[in-house]
Amino acid sequence: MPSSLCDIAVEPALVKAVLPGGDSLTSATQRPNGGTIRCNLYVDGKLVLSLAQAWWSRGQNTAAVSPAYPGTKGGTLSEDERFIYSGQAGVGKTVPSCKTSEHPEQVLYTAVETRDSGVDDPAAIEKLVIAYTKAVEGSPACR
């Protein structure tokens, strides 16, 4: 297990908890638009996990952003309303100090989505989306 996923440091055990078994793990970075970076993880060549950073308009909240990630449907909203998660996906909102000159009027959200991996573990998804969001907050994405 790598300690960094597409240049974001994440505790390997948290990632391993949401991956199916297999022999090889590879990753690839995608930039589908100017405000999104996606890190895809493949086990034995099959896409099993996607972690994303996406800039959304200020004024949105986690509950409004989460429908863009279908796996969060019916998920649990954290007490502070920064995170929503289910057994297959989670969305996190970065702290207000996370800003960049490229996106001055936007807020950075993170997403963790399992992809046809058979994983259904809300506690593991919750831990991963919180850890990934905190790691993104400490990365160049928030400076």
Side-chain angles (χ1 to χ4, degrees):
M1 286 301 309
S3 59
S4 173
L5 300 173
C6 303
D7 300 323
I8 300 294
V10 181
E11 188 179 326
L14 296 178
V15 177
K16 188 174 184 183
V18 300
L19 294 179
D23 296 321
S24 68
L25 178 68
T26 56
S27 66
T29 302
Q30 287 182 317
R31 295 176 188 270
N33 59 53
T36 302
I37 298 173
R38 187 173 291 126
C39 182
N40 292 322
L41 272 64
Y42 301 83
V43 170
D44 299 338
K46 180 181 169 191
L47 177 62
V48 294
L49 183 67
S50 181
L51 299 106
Q53 301 168 41
W55 291 94
W56 286 75
S57 299
R58 208 173 283 290
Q60 298 289 336
N61 61 36
T62 306
V65 169
S66 66
Y69 305 94
T72 63
K73 186 174 182 174
T76 302
L77 186 63
S78 65
E79 213 171 285
D80 63 4
E81 299 185 355
R82 282 185 59 204
F83 303 96
I84 192 166
Y85 56 89
S86 71
Q88 296 87 34
V91 171
K93 181 179 182 179
T94 61
V95 292
S97 60
C98 178
K99 297 179 181 180
T100 66
S101 57
E102 294 90 20
H103 304 279
E105 299 300 317
Q106 294 181 306
V107 177
L108 184 61
Y109 284 84
T110 61
V112 172
E113 299 176 277
T114 59
R115 305 284 188 164
D116 193 30
S117 63
V119 171
D120 188 354
D121 188 340
I125 294 291
E126 177 188 21
K127 288 177 187 169
L128 180 57
V129 74
I130 289 170
Y132 181 65
T133 303
K134 289 181 187 296
V136 168
E137 289 170 347
S139 78
C142 283
R143 290 185 210 126

